[in-house]
Amino acid sequence: MGDAAISALVADVLGKLTSELIKEFDLLWGFKNDVLSLKEDFDQIQAVLQDAEEKHSKEEAVKLWLRRLRSASLEVENVLDEISTEALLQRLHKQRGIKYRVRAFFSSDHNQFVFRARIAHKVKAMRRKLDAIASKRFELKLTPSSDISHVGADVVGEMPSRETSSLIHDSSTIFGRDKEIEKVIETICDKDIGKPENGEIRVYGIWGMGGVGKTTLAQLVYNHERVNQYFELKCWVYVSEKFQVQDIIKGIIESINECECKLTRLDVLQKSLQNKLRGKKFIVVLDDVWIEDNEKAKWDELSKTLSCGAEESIVVMTTRSQTTSRMMAKVLTLQHEVGCLSEGDSWLLFKKLAFAQGRMGDDMSQLEPIGREIVNKCKGLPLAVKTLGTLMWSKRSASEWQLMKDNNIWELEKTKVLPAILKFSYDNLPPHLKRCFAYCSMFPKGYILTKDALIRLWVSNGFIPPKGEINLYVLGEEVFNCLVWRSFFIVKEDDFEEDLYLIHDLMHDMAQHVMGDDCLAIESGKEVIIPNEVLHLTSSCPGSLFCPHDLKKLTSLRSIFLYGKINEGSIKQIFNHVYVRVLYLAGIQLKTLPESICKLKHLKYLNLSRSSIQVLHESIIYLQNLQVLLLYRCKFLHKLPKGLRYMRNLEHLGTNRCYSLLHMPLGIKELTNLQILPYFPVCNKSGANIGELGNLNLLKGELKISQIENVGSLSEVKNANLKCKKDLSVLELCWSILSKRESKQEMCAYDEKVLEGLEPNPGLKELKIFNYMGKAISPSWIVNLRNVVEIVFCGCKNCEHIQLLGRLPNLRVIKLEYMASLKCFHDDDKNMIGDTNMFLSLQELHISKCPNLVSLPSNLPKLKILTLRNCNGLASLPDEIQSFKDLKELVIERCKHLCIGCEKDIGVEWPKISHIPNISINPSR
């Protein structure tokens, strides 16, 4: 275990031993003093821990002492968690009634007297072990630190304010690359430069040493406006060490489709990709390519597949190897070595970060001369400059800056300096941040991290120490932001999703190094050597079973990530690892989990997404610590456990796209800690009605309420209390399609009353309504949605008009689809017609399958994109469209009158739209 993990682990155990909660447990009767006396040992150990961490790399005895401390600390933490978990189970038995309390009394697992005896024996054994470890510190001559207050106290570490730290995301932090960007764009956007004679696709190679900024340069080019306009299609794929043609093709397809590709055969993949690329101008970026001369056949196979587009198409690749660049790009004019930054540009980058707003300490005039010397030692490597810039922001005195300047890392070989800088930056993190970062070695290189998923994993593993009453997820966000600020994570630019991040390869190498034997990765074809007391296991070949000897080494496992096909034998072995906190089983083919899942009573995170699970066994409610249950895209899941209401610690119930799930269990209203519930099907008989949402006021993010036609009464709607859910950003209201519903006339008026009662909080960002049968979408509350940025109405076949949208000041996107009766969607109030204060922020208007629509609003000053499909009732565009100066794209498809009227040069509507740069008129598909 790395030094950071031990420091943080000891701090966590001490925190639990001193918490008021542990003192209140009745289960400690008879041995409470033994538990609390462990604190004295840990206090003594923590006092000398800093000295031990400094000596362990040089003294084998200290290294062994730390290893014994690690083992003992894990045991103590497990026992403390057992005590708190048993308290939760006792509460569960009490809530479920006398039958379950009696059953627990006669159970060897849950009888309080048996439990006390078992735990008392463990605690006394641990106390003897801790006493011996604490006494050993004198023999090792470990001296107490003069200041141990920092241990565990600083959860986050110093960083600028949120506004200032956002500059790390900003392209303005890129210096000295303007000419290179221009050169690359000029070359890739000129089909005649380096054009191959044999019809192969052109390849542009960007190469250079690690940390010099190859990927950054490629990103700046990829996201440039000129590149966006020149190419019809853009794809980005991370390649890394393994150049596997199938994986790369699958990655390109997924980049185009924005969803998972399930094809496996190479020939089928090739055909599918070529169908998508044929004849189009596309750019494909292959990032971080490693391929040797003896693997050239693999590249030839991929090149052949990609050589199907328009002649302007190109592949841009980044690599550390000039040999790889020459092999793929071939032509000298299509090869670019990324140079180091100049001293001037390096200083500007360092200065912007090291002297960012909010720093405290010595005056800049004292620090600048030292800072310039530090920058010059970085030899123009942007990653080194950024890493030290953000680190030195927190160093307040000139003496601290001088120590960095005089550090012996500058005496290393050139290729070793950057890894040493990254390690130095890591060493300056608070212990808990070290542990959070090191955990990322669990993921393969190039893995796209989402902020929410990573924070949930940190919290579930206990990496985020509590701080008063602040929610642990909020503290996790601060940790994450600090690691982004310190350049441990790279922001991934994406047009469709936010909060996507990567880890630089060199950072990933360091994470693996500091994680040491705590993490075990099992890969197909590689020999498996299992060290003692592994904490985190990831396997891409989980079909193989462990022998009894190896299983003993895995008893301390905290995280298990299994990918690929998982057999029942593997599942049974997993359920023997009772101290597991995180279990990732996404994609498993089992229809249900064994009842024995209840053994994993410490489990906090369970991911069953994209699996074949149909039913969750009732025994899952014994997982009283469970906080995160992910069931995303479990399309066969039709039943959740009836006792779900007893899982009071549940915060995240990921039911996205579980469309076979027709009801939530009764009593879900009791899960008042629930923050994420993306899908709620309304039931009026055997399941939860819409009113059960009333108490769930911590819900945030997205909420889709389906089957709204099952609402039993308007009082249920009012009880849903959507207005008080201030952290909801997206609300989707869905009725079932008309063919499944009763009399049309009856439902129209009722739907309008129900919609009126579903008033959301004014802070809502997106509102979506599907299959609503009212004649108008005009609830009184819609004018209050002053923060809404997107509105989608679809399948509302009776709706004749939509009012008041023009008054929403931040509305940027409107989408209207399958609105058969819609005649107009601007306000009918005569006082508003011609009002220039309407639709002040609207940038996109998409209308499809609205055959009776006869007019569009006349005042859309910020409109950029207008899409009209299958709108045969529209005979003309508003005259004012000529004044829409921001309108860049107009698409008209299958609109009988408009397609004729907008015909280039000869249509009567053409003069109105001739100023628009991108026009597409298609009378038929």
Side-chain angles (χ1 to χ4, degrees):
M1 176 181 272
D3 58 341
I6 296 176
S7 296
L9 179 59
V10 169
D12 287 347
V13 173
L14 259 174
K16 290 178 180 180
L17 286 170
T18 56
S19 72
E20 291 301 315
L21 188 63
I22 197 77
K23 298 173 186 176
E24 293 173 5
F25 290 144
D26 292 336
L27 294 166
L28 295 181
W29 180 79
F31 62 95
K32 182 181 288 189
N33 290 335
D34 285 316
V35 171
L36 298 180
S37 67
L38 291 173
K39 178 184 178 298
E40 297 178 15
D41 285 330
F42 275 110
D43 279 333
Q44 294 167 356
I45 290 167
Q46 191 182 52
V48 301
L49 196 52
Q50 186 174 343
D51 187 38
E53 289 169 351
E54 292 172 359
K55 293 178 177 176
H56 85 282
S57 59
K58 299 177 182 177
E59 298 182 26
E60 190 62 31
V62 175
K63 188 175 182 179
L64 180 61
W65 183 81
L66 284 172
R67 194 175 298 155
R68 292 178 61 200
L69 172 61
R70 168 196 188 271
S71 179
S73 300
L74 289 171
E75 286 184 42
V76 173
E77 187 174 50
N78 283 337
V79 169
L80 294 178
D81 284 352
E82 276 191 70
I83 295 170
S84 60
T85 299
E86 186 60 28
L88 292 174
L89 289 170
Q90 297 291 348
R91 183 188 70 180
L92 172 65
H93 298 144
K94 187 180 294 185
Q95 290 170 340
R96 299 190 77 188
I98 187 65
K99 180 174 71 173
Y100 292 94
R101 293 178 67 182
V102 171
R103 187 180 296 174
F105 181 82
F106 289 103
S107 163
S108 60
D109 289 331
H110 299 297
N111 181 284
Q112 292 189 34
F113 301 105
V114 175
F115 176 81
R116 284 195 189 114
R118 186 170 67 247
I119 293 297
H121 176 74
K122 287 185 178 181
V123 169
K124 292 181 186 301
M126 285 188 301
R127 185 178 178 186
R128 289 193 294 270
K129 186 181 291 189
L130 259 295
D131 284 343
I133 292 172
S135 300
K136 187 77 173 177
R137 72 188 190 279
F138 297 114
E139 183 181 327
L140 296 174
K141 298 181 181 179
L142 298 177
T143 57
S145 170
S146 57
D147 176 24
I148 62 167
S149 61
H150 71 282
V151 182
D154 189 355
V155 177
V156 177
E158 291 185 299
M159 62 177 289
S161 66
R162 186 179 299 271
E163 291 77 12
T164 307
S165 62
S166 65
L167 64 85
I168 205 76
H169 299 197
D170 190 354
S171 61
S172 64
T173 56
I174 309 298
F175 292 91
R177 297 299 187 200
D178 291 344
K179 290 182 180 179
E180 285 184 283
I181 294 169
E182 185 66 26
K183 176 185 176 183
V184 176
I185 292 174
E186 286 286 348
T187 304
I188 67 174
C189 292
D190 187 340
K191 62 182 176 62
D192 294 322
I193 297 179
K195 183 177 180 180
E197 297 178 358
N198 57 3
E200 289 184 352
I201 190 167
R202 288 192 306 150
V203 180
Y204 191 92
I206 298 175
W207 66 279
M209 66 184 295
V212 79
K214 302 179 295 296
T215 298
T216 300
L217 176 60
Q219 281 185 332
L220 292 169
V221 169
Y222 185 79
N223 294 315
H224 199 278
E225 183 62 29
R226 281 171 59 191
V227 172
N228 290 336
Q229 291 179 0
Y230 186 79
F231 296 101
E232 298 175 64
L233 202 60
K234 301 196 308 175
C235 311
W236 185 292
V237 178
Y238 180 85
V239 180
S240 195
E241 285 101 335
K242 295 180 180 179
F243 194 95
Q244 300 293 340
V245 177
Q246 285 177 260
D247 292 342
I248 295 171
I249 293 177
K250 186 178 287 190
I252 297 172
I253 292 173
E254 289 175 345
S255 180
I256 295 171
N257 294 345
E258 297 169 35
C259 64
E260 184 182 5
C261 173
K262 295 186 177 181
L263 303 176
T264 54
R265 281 175 43 193
L266 178 59
D267 59 332
V268 178
L269 283 164
Q270 289 174 316
K271 186 175 181 180
S272 174
L273 179 58
Q274 288 184 328
N275 287 338
K276 298 176 185 299
L277 299 181
R278 188 168 286 110
K280 293 183 178 178
K281 291 196 296 184
F282 63 81
I283 178 173
V284 173
V285 177
L286 302 179
D287 188 30
D288 198 25
V289 176
W290 295 76
I291 185 169
E292 304 297 332
D293 285 333
N294 58 4
E295 298 178 295
K296 185 175 182 297
K298 292 182 179 180
W299 162 242
D300 291 340
E301 185 72 28
L302 180 60
S303 175
K304 183 177 68 176
T305 304
L306 295 173
S307 299
C308 63
E311 59 180 350
E312 294 88 350
S313 298
I314 195 166
V315 171
V316 176
M317 53 83 73
T318 69
T319 180
R320 294 188 205 175
S321 167
Q322 185 181 12
T323 302
T324 301
S325 178
R326 285 173 175 170
M327 183 181 73
M328 293 175 64
K330 298 178 183 177
V331 183
L332 187 61
T333 53
L334 294 178
Q335 297 174 35
H336 176 73
E337 180 183 8
V338 181
C340 295
L341 295 178
S342 67
E343 287 187 13
D345 287 327
S346 295
W347 169 248
L348 290 174
L349 175 58
F350 179 88
K351 178 182 175 183
K352 185 159 189 174
L353 300 172
F355 298 102
Q357 184 179 356
R359 76 169 303 278
M360 299 173 64
D362 290 350
D363 188 76
M364 182 178 170
S365 60
Q366 292 180 267
L367 300 176
E368 181 171 339
I370 309 172
R372 286 187 177 274
E373 290 190 63
I374 293 172
V375 168
N376 290 345
K377 291 174 180 286
C378 291
K379 306 298 182 184
L381 288 175
L383 183 57
V385 176
K386 286 177 68 174
T387 300
L388 287 180
T390 53
L391 172 62
M392 301 315 292
W393 181 90
S394 62
K395 303 297 181 184
R396 301 180 180 182
S397 66
S399 60
E400 290 178 291
W401 283 51
Q402 190 69 37
L403 284 173
M404 182 67 243
K405 182 183 81 71
D406 297 335
N407 195 291
N408 58 14
I409 64 174
W410 306 116
E411 299 172 10
L412 298 171
E413 297 176 26
K414 183 179 180 182
T415 55
K416 295 181 179 179
V417 170
L418 180 54
I421 290 173
L422 302 184
K423 181 62 166 59
F424 184 83
S425 179
Y426 168 84
D427 290 339
N428 276 266
L429 290 173
H432 290 88
L433 267 76
K434 289 181 180 180
R435 193 152 61 149
C436 288
F437 170 71
Y439 188 74
C440 296
S441 66
M442 289 282 291
F443 308 105
K445 286 185 178 180
Y447 188 86
I448 298 174
L449 302 168
T450 63
K451 182 171 80 170
D452 178 75
L454 192 54
I455 292 173
R456 297 282 177 192
L457 289 169
W458 288 343
V459 171
S460 298
N461 274 290
F463 294 164
I464 309 295
K467 188 177 180 181
E469 298 298 318
I470 303 175
N471 182 273
L472 291 180
Y473 184 90
V474 174
L475 293 174
E477 284 188 294
E478 293 181 6
V479 168
F480 192 93
N481 291 336
C482 184
L483 290 173
V484 172
W485 159 248
R486 293 282 292 271
S487 299
F488 286 93
F489 298 143
I490 304 169
V491 181
K492 184 180 185 298
E493 301 290 341
D494 193 281
D495 296 333
F496 304 100
E497 291 189 60
E498 298 178 355
D499 293 332
L500 299 181
Y501 299 83
L502 295 166
I503 300 177
H504 193 283
D505 276 4
L506 294 175
M507 286 287 193
H508 192 279
D509 291 341
M510 183 182 66
Q512 288 182 317
H513 171 69
V514 297
M515 194 60 146
D517 290 339
D518 282 5
C519 178
L520 172 65
I522 301 176
E523 298 178 37
S524 181
K526 288 190 176 181
E527 182 184 2
V528 179
I529 300 175
I530 300 179
N532 289 317
E533 292 189 322
V534 174
L535 294 181
H536 310 291
L537 169 69
T538 174
S539 173
S540 56
C541 49
S544 56
L545 301 176
F546 295 107
C547 66
H549 175 70
D550 286 340
L551 279 174
K552 287 183 180 179
K553 296 182 179 181
L554 298 173
T555 53
S556 298
L557 276 178
R558 301 295 180 90
S559 302
I560 300 177
F561 285 71
L562 299 186
Y563 303 94
K565 293 184 178 180
I566 305 169
N567 59 41
E568 196 167 340
S570 297
I571 291 289
K572 288 180 178 178
Q573 282 197 337
I574 288 170
F575 291 170
N576 289 322
H577 297 103
V578 294
Y579 295 114
V580 167
R581 271 70 166 177
V582 170
L583 182 56
Y584 180 97
L585 297 174
I588 62 169
Q589 300 303 304
L590 298 180
K591 293 181 179 179
T592 187
L593 292 177
E595 184 178 356
S596 55
I597 190 173
C598 63
K599 291 182 181 179
L600 304 181
K601 59 184 181 180
H602 296 276
L603 198 65
K604 294 185 177 182
Y605 177 104
L606 176 58
N607 192 336
L608 299 170
S609 299
R610 305 186 308 279
S611 69
S612 300
I613 293 288
Q614 296 181 5
V615 177
L616 285 179
H617 199 279
E618 201 69 25
S619 66
I620 200 172
I621 70 170
Y622 286 96
L623 305 182
Q624 284 290 293
N625 284 302
L626 197 67
Q627 297 172 355
V628 179
L629 175 56
L630 299 181
L631 303 165
Y632 173 64
R633 288 178 65 185
C634 290
K635 57 184 179 181
F636 303 112
L637 179 68
H638 60 83
K639 186 179 179 183
L640 293 174
K642 289 181 180 179
L644 188 70
R645 66 182 181 274
Y646 296 117
M647 302 179 75
R648 302 293 173 79
N649 282 316
L650 202 60
E651 296 180 356
H652 187 147
L653 180 57
T655 50
N656 324 50
R657 301 191 186 184
C658 295
Y659 296 134
S660 296
L661 189 63
L662 300 181
H663 69 271
M664 286 288 175
L666 286 168
I668 195 171
K669 63 184 178 183
E670 297 177 37
L671 302 182
T672 52
N673 286 319
L674 207 56
Q675 299 171 22
I676 304 294
L677 180 66
Y679 179 62
F680 184 93
V682 178
C683 185
N684 59 5
K685 294 180 182 177
S686 58
N689 65 47
I690 197 170
E692 292 216 28
L693 288 169
N695 292 334
L696 309 184
N697 289 327
L698 296 182
L699 290 181
K700 60 183 181 179
E702 181 176 352
L703 172 61
K704 175 180 179 178
I705 305 176
S706 69
Q707 302 173 178
I708 297 180
E709 70 280 358
N710 287 334
V711 165
S713 67
L714 295 178
S715 62
E716 289 179 9
V717 176
K718 186 176 181 180
N719 291 339
N721 203 20
L722 297 184
K723 189 176 182 179
C724 290
K725 294 164 182 41
K726 58 184 178 61
D727 293 322
L728 274 185
S729 56
V730 181
L731 178 62
E732 190 171 325
L733 304 174
C734 301
W735 284 256
S736 295
I737 57 176
L738 182 61
S739 61
K740 294 183 179 180
R741 300 174 64 184
E742 298 175 357
S743 167
K744 192 174 180 181
Q745 291 183 345
E746 291 178 7
M747 73 177 71
C748 288
Y750 193 62
D751 280 9
E752 290 176 2
K753 292 177 182 178
V754 169
L755 182 61
E756 180 65 36
L758 293 172
E759 179 179 358
N761 187 275
L764 195 73
K765 294 296 176 70
E766 296 181 28
L767 174 65
K768 303 176 182 182
I769 298 177
F770 291 83
N771 305 318
Y772 161 84
M773 286 297 126
K775 288 191 174 181
I777 302 179
S778 54
S780 60
W781 46 259
I782 203 164
V783 293
N784 298 327
L785 303 182
R786 303 187 66 79
N787 292 300
V788 77
V789 295
E790 180 172 343
I791 280 180
V792 177
F793 297 150
C794 178
C796 307
K797 296 182 179 180
N798 291 342
C799 182
E800 297 177 358
H801 59 275
I802 305 166
Q803 296 180 339
L804 307 175
L805 297 190
R807 291 298 191 188
L808 303 179
N810 291 300
L811 183 59
R812 297 176 194 167
V813 179
I814 296 177
K815 296 179 182 178
L816 306 174
E817 299 178 359
Y818 294 96
M819 308 272 284
S821 303
L822 184 65
K823 296 176 182 176
C824 56
F825 69 96
H826 49 88
D827 204 289
D828 280 343
D829 188 336
K830 293 180 180 179
N831 294 324
M832 289 186 173
I833 295 176
D835 191 340
T836 56
N837 291 320
M838 304 280 280
F839 299 106
L840 292 181
S841 299
L842 193 68
Q843 297 177 10
E844 297 183 29
L845 177 57
H846 305 275
I847 305 176
S848 176
K849 301 289 180 69
C850 299
N852 288 307
L853 184 68
V854 295
S855 63
L856 298 174
S858 58
N859 187 61
L860 301 170
K862 297 291 180 64
L863 194 68
K864 295 181 179 180
I865 300 173
L866 175 60
T867 303
L868 303 168
R869 292 186 173 94
N870 297 93
C871 297
N872 288 332
L874 271 178
S876 65
L877 297 170
D879 293 337
E880 291 81 0
I881 197 170
Q882 298 176 78
S883 65
F884 298 174
K885 298 189 182 303
D886 291 336
L887 188 57
K888 303 298 182 187
E889 183 177 331
L890 172 64
V891 177
I892 300 175
E893 293 182 359
R894 301 179 295 283
C895 299
K896 181 169 62 176
H897 302 297
L898 282 183
C899 286
I900 296 173
C902 292
E903 193 172 349
K904 187 175 181 179
D905 295 328
I906 60 174
V908 294
E909 298 288 305
W910 178 254
K912 297 181 184 179
I913 62 173
S914 58
H915 67 288
I916 302 172
N918 299 303
I919 299 176
S920 175
I921 310 293
N922 295 310
S924 60
R925 185 179 295 276

